[in-house]
Amino acid sequence: MILTPIRELGFFVLRVIADLGRMGVFCAEIVRAALTPPMRLRSLLDEIYKLGVLSLIIICVCGLAVGMVLGLQGYNTLVTFGATQSLGAVVGLSLVRELGPVLTALLATGRAGSATAAEIGTMVATEQLDGLRMMSIDPIDVVVTPKAVAMVLVMPLLSALFIVCGIGGGYLVGVHLLGVDGGSYLSSLESAVDWRNDVAGSLVKALVFGVLVGWIATYRGYSSAPTSAGVSAATTATVVVASVSILIFDYFITALWGV
Amino acid sequence: MNRSPGRDLLVGLFVLAGLAAIAYLSFAVGGLSFNETGGLVLSADFDEIAGLKPRSQVVISGVKVGQVTSITLAGDDRARVTIDVDATLKLPSDTSASIVTAGLLGDRYISLQPGGDETLLKPGDTITFTESAVILERLIGKFVHNSDVGKAE
Amino acid sequence: MAFGSRPVFSGLSCAFPSSRISVILGGSGSGKSTILRLIGGLVRPRAGRIEVAGRDVTRLSERELYSVRETLGMLFQGGALLDSMTVFDNLAFPLREHTDLDEAAIAHEVHDRLDAVGLRGIDRLLPNQLSGGMVKRVALARAIIRRPTILLCDEPFSGLDPISSKRIEMLLRRINAQLGMTVVLVSHHIESTMRMADHIVLLRSEGRLEGTPAELAASGDPWVRAFLTEDVDEAMLPEAG
């Protein structure tokens, strides 16, 4: 019957809309909890440690690696135009405008985002959140908000560190390996990268991505089915939804930022 | 609550490192500055600006002294470039402005050569002596054309 | 009342007398734990009313439920302790959130409850370092830390050795007697039930039975008698299918 797939589609769309609605309410709850005292700084600091400090190694190593690849690829392309003194600009612009915020966000999704979803999901499965409710304590206030806020704060910091490591990686490869002049590398970098157009946009992207990952990861964990299969599904959904959202929002921010 | 001073220290270091990275990118690399002295607004008309953009640098003897704020088409189909330079500069009224390229393929910028006149440029004045940008393709074309003419002769 | 597409029960009506110990009995899957969750407002029925101390919890918003829960304490089947916090912090948490007590007073309350459940010196341990029985006892201590008027317990005796079981039983009877706390528990443990219950609600597919232990033990229904005396004849088992 041809009507069945159409009905299924309608049902699917309604479910997606209902899900988005729930996510919206969830976000509003987080904002409300974040703005009302008590501020739970202790929890926030713990979360910054778990999401930020523990991601440092992967971020810095990947940043260095990406910078080195950019240095190599950039050199190979520029050498045909005799413009290798612009290597700093090529590496810097690529990292600051796109690769820094996007790759940092994707790496953070995989590491910190999935960890957050799994942690909250497990708390649902072991009735810890119900336990909190029965003690008249709002689980969103105590468990979710510190994680979400920490993610937003941590993302621009990680992104900047990724970019700096990348610039360093490009310098290592370009200057020490391929013979580009160190002074040219840095001066082309500094003249090409502009605060308003590039760096500010990069930080805005990182903030937006932080909001996305924090929101999606906590929501997926919070609304997961209270079983181990449910937790696992929440984790994969977090990575998939957050990654796609990051790339889509990247396009829109890039397009609108120049305006 | 697992109070651990070790963790707190790491969080503090992490935040400091991140802020330092942001500061480096903003100030050293991106050129953000809080003492945007400017204030001396001048204009200059050019026949050809060829790639000069707003926010391009204005330079004296290689030192940045300001930037281009806007570029419009003037009445006689010349390009009117408005620049904003350091207000403490004393520029004689016969100062000339030329559009120069950084390297062969680099960005365009304006270089000012101060003249020797007694009177100084005031805000809103126009620089009368200008030298337009050199477009490489035209130069090569002229060269080829001249050498052809030379051959023909 | 249904979970997803699986109806748990419908048309159920029962009452738990205040200041008494009530026990909910029934076969697996008969919905015993669900009743406790309904009372606590953690799940909502499709239809009906649930009155807790005179307030209908089915009508209340989440905010309002929090104020009702001030007087409730719940012991979950798995303990539901926060696994990232020490035993001490788990017990202190509700006090720190809802009261202005200073740390010394909080420590006093925490150690008082831990003594009551027979545990000492485990302040610094994490829940995953405790045995199942210890987790249950800590969870019970947490449930009573704010001196609730109504205590809900989901299988408090499961997984405990006879000595710990007896200790919990004595504790529940004591706080009921001394503090007049209403206790509603879900249990599989018939022996202690018959000893301590003032009121029993027995759930079965044909509907529920309520009464005192004596009344139910004298029931004419062989299934009920077998259930309560734990003397189940093989012939009574349904056909394996």
Side-chain angles (χ1 to χ4, degrees):
Chain A
M1 261 255 289
I2 197 169
L3 282 182
T4 315
I6 297 178
R7 257 213 321 267
E8 289 294 311
L9 178 66
F11 196 54
F12 174 74
V13 169
L14 286 176
R15 262 210 319 269
V16 168
I17 294 177
D19 210 25
L20 284 175
R22 272 191 294 269
M23 278 190 80
V25 170
F26 186 74
C27 184
E29 291 282 308
I30 296 180
V31 171
R32 190 191 44 80
L35 296 176
T36 53
M39 288 304 169
R40 306 194 192 275
L41 283 177
R42 178 82 247 154
S43 299
L44 183 62
L45 286 175
D46 278 343
E47 291 304 322
I48 292 179
Y49 176 82
K50 288 198 297 212
L51 300 176
V53 176
L54 294 182
S55 302
L56 259 185
I57 299 207
I58 185 175
I59 293 296
C60 291
V61 168
C62 290
L64 193 68
V66 169
M68 287 167 74
V69 168
L70 279 174
L72 209 52
Q73 293 282 33
Y75 184 89
N76 288 339
T77 310
L78 289 173
V79 82
T80 58
F81 297 102
T84 54
Q85 71 276 12
S86 301
L87 186 63
V90 166
V91 171
L93 282 176
S94 313
L95 284 168
V96 170
R97 283 184 184 166
E98 286 303 321
L99 297 179
V102 172
L103 287 182
T104 303
L106 291 176
L107 288 169
T109 299
R111 207 219 135 265
S114 61
T116 300
E119 191 177 335
I120 299 182
T122 308
M123 290 180 90
V124 171
T126 52
E127 297 183 299
Q128 289 177 54
L129 298 192
D130 276 341
L132 285 173
R133 290 187 186 103
M134 287 308 293
M135 296 193 285
S136 311
I137 296 170
D138 185 3
I140 292 186
D141 193 7
V142 164
V143 172
V144 171
T145 301
K147 289 175 166 23
V149 171
M151 187 67 84
V152 175
L153 295 178
V154 152
M155 198 64 86
L157 299 174
L158 288 177
S159 180
L161 288 167
F162 184 95
I163 294 171
V164 169
C165 287
I167 291 174
Y171 187 92
L172 273 175
V173 165
V175 173
H176 291 294
L177 211 63
L178 299 169
V180 174
D181 173 45
S184 307
Y185 183 93
L186 290 174
S187 69
S188 69
L189 170 69
E190 284 163 23
S191 63
V193 173
D194 176 52
W195 154 258
R196 207 218 143 256
N197 290 338
D198 304 319
V199 179
S202 176
L203 291 174
V204 164
K205 278 190 189 179
L207 268 173
V208 171
F209 296 157
V211 169
L212 283 174
V213 178
W215 184 9
I216 293 171
T218 51
Y219 176 76
R220 289 283 148 194
Y222 190 79
S223 58
S224 71
T227 60
S228 32
V231 173
S232 150
T235 315
T236 31
T238 295
V239 174
V240 168
V241 173
S243 304
V244 171
S245 308
I246 287 168
L247 292 169
I248 292 180
F249 273 76
D250 181 44
Y251 170 75
F252 284 111
I253 300 175
T254 310
L256 293 172
W257 190 252
V259 168
Chain B
M1 320 287 162
N2 303 315
R3 309 203 97 95
S4 162
R7 273 198 185 189
D8 290 354
L9 182 66
L10 287 176
V11 170
L13 287 176
F14 164 71
V15 173
L16 278 176
L19 291 175
I22 293 178
Y24 168 69
L25 290 172
S26 304
F27 295 106
V29 175
L32 180 67
S33 76
F34 286 122
N35 45 350
E36 291 279 8
T37 52
L40 181 55
V41 178
L42 303 167
S43 56
D45 290 351
F46 296 86
D47 291 323
E48 178 64 64
I49 55 163
L52 189 73
K53 310 188 289 286
R55 305 175 72 84
S56 294
Q57 296 193 345
V58 177
V59 151
I60 295 180
S61 305
V63 178
K64 177 178 175 180
V65 295
Q67 56 184 13
V68 174
T69 51
S70 69
I71 301 174
T72 52
L73 199 60
D76 51 356
D77 284 346
R78 299 182 88 198
R80 167 150 301 157
V81 177
T82 315
I83 61 176
D84 182 8
V85 296
D86 198 347
T88 62
L89 287 177
K90 297 183 176 22
L91 294 170
S93 52
D94 60 343
T95 299
S96 68
S98 37
I99 299 183
V100 191
T101 315
L104 209 57
L105 297 173
D107 289 332
R108 307 276 182 179
Y109 63 94
I110 291 183
S111 177
L112 298 176
Q113 290 89 39
D117 209 347
E118 297 276 305
T119 46
L120 298 178
L121 290 171
K122 297 182 304 299
D125 277 354
T126 305
I127 296 175
T128 34
F129 300 103
T130 62
E131 196 179 308
S132 294
V134 173
I135 297 186
L136 201 59
E137 295 81 6
R138 290 205 193 137
L139 195 63
I140 295 175
K142 240 197 248 177
F143 180 72
V144 169
H145 182 251
N146 280 345
S147 71
D148 278 350
V149 167
K151 277 206 203 118
E153 282 165 9
Chain C
M1 173 69 223
F3 278 124
S5 55
R6 183 173 65 89
V8 178
F9 41 64
S10 56
L12 177 70
S13 131
C14 56
F16 303 100
S18 67
S19 303
R20 297 272 175 274
I21 299 179
S22 305
V23 179
I24 304 175
L25 297 175
S28 301
S30 53
K32 310 191 292 294
S33 302
T34 311
I35 296 185
L36 291 185
R37 301 176 78 87
L38 283 168
I39 296 174
L42 293 173
V43 295
R44 294 202 195 256
R46 281 233 212 101
R49 295 167 57 84
I50 302 172
E51 285 202 15
V52 175
R55 296 177 75 178
D56 182 5
V57 297
T58 58
R59 297 255 163 281
L60 299 181
S61 71
E62 194 67 15
R63 291 277 127 248
E64 291 162 330
L65 277 176
Y66 283 146
S67 74
V68 171
R69 290 170 183 154
E70 297 279 326
T71 56
L72 295 179
M74 181 145 176
L75 167 60
F76 288 85
Q77 198 164 349
L81 295 177
L82 296 170
D83 51 19
S84 56
M85 288 191 206
T86 61
V87 166
F88 185 90
D89 287 330
N90 261 286
L91 290 175
F93 194 48
L95 294 178
R96 287 183 181 138
E97 283 291 311
H98 295 294
T99 68
D100 294 323
L101 296 177
D102 60 36
E103 283 303 305
I106 289 178
H108 175 83
E109 294 289 307
V110 169
H111 290 130
D112 176 66
R113 304 295 183 282
L114 283 176
D115 282 343
V117 299
L119 288 173
R120 268 202 197 154
I122 57 166
D123 285 14
R124 299 248 137 262
L125 293 182
L126 291 174
N128 61 13
Q129 296 172 297
L130 303 174
S131 73
M134 290 165 83
V135 166
K136 266 217 166 28
R137 288 191 275 159
V138 172
L140 178 56
R142 184 179 74 168
I144 58 175
I145 198 129
R146 285 202 292 159
R147 303 180 194 279
T149 45
I150 301 174
L151 178 63
L152 307 168
C153 301
D154 195 350
E155 310 248 4
F157 304 118
S158 72
L160 295 186
D161 61 83
I163 302 199
S164 303
S165 246
K166 188 73 179 172
R167 178 180 273 134
I168 299 295
E169 185 193 325
M170 298 312 300
L171 173 63
L172 290 174
R173 290 168 76 169
R174 184 157 30 99
I175 58 182
N176 170 252
Q178 287 176 355
L179 303 175
M181 202 185 284
T182 308
V183 179
V184 179
L185 41 119
V186 164
S187 180
H188 276 134
H189 206 253
I190 305 296
E191 214 192 304
S192 56
T193 301
M194 299 306 277
R195 271 200 299 269
M196 65 191 285
D198 296 313
H199 186 82
I200 296 181
V201 174
L202 176 58
L203 297 178
R204 50 200 299 232
S205 44
E206 301 86 2
R208 60 115 188 77
L209 278 181
E210 280 186 83
T212 65
E215 284 167 10
L216 289 185
S219 160
D221 186 327
W223 188 90
V224 173
R225 272 208 311 278
F227 196 91
L228 292 179
T229 54
E230 297 188 281
D231 182 15
V232 180
D233 198 305
E234 263 190 44
M236 299 185 69
L237 292 176
E239 290 296 320

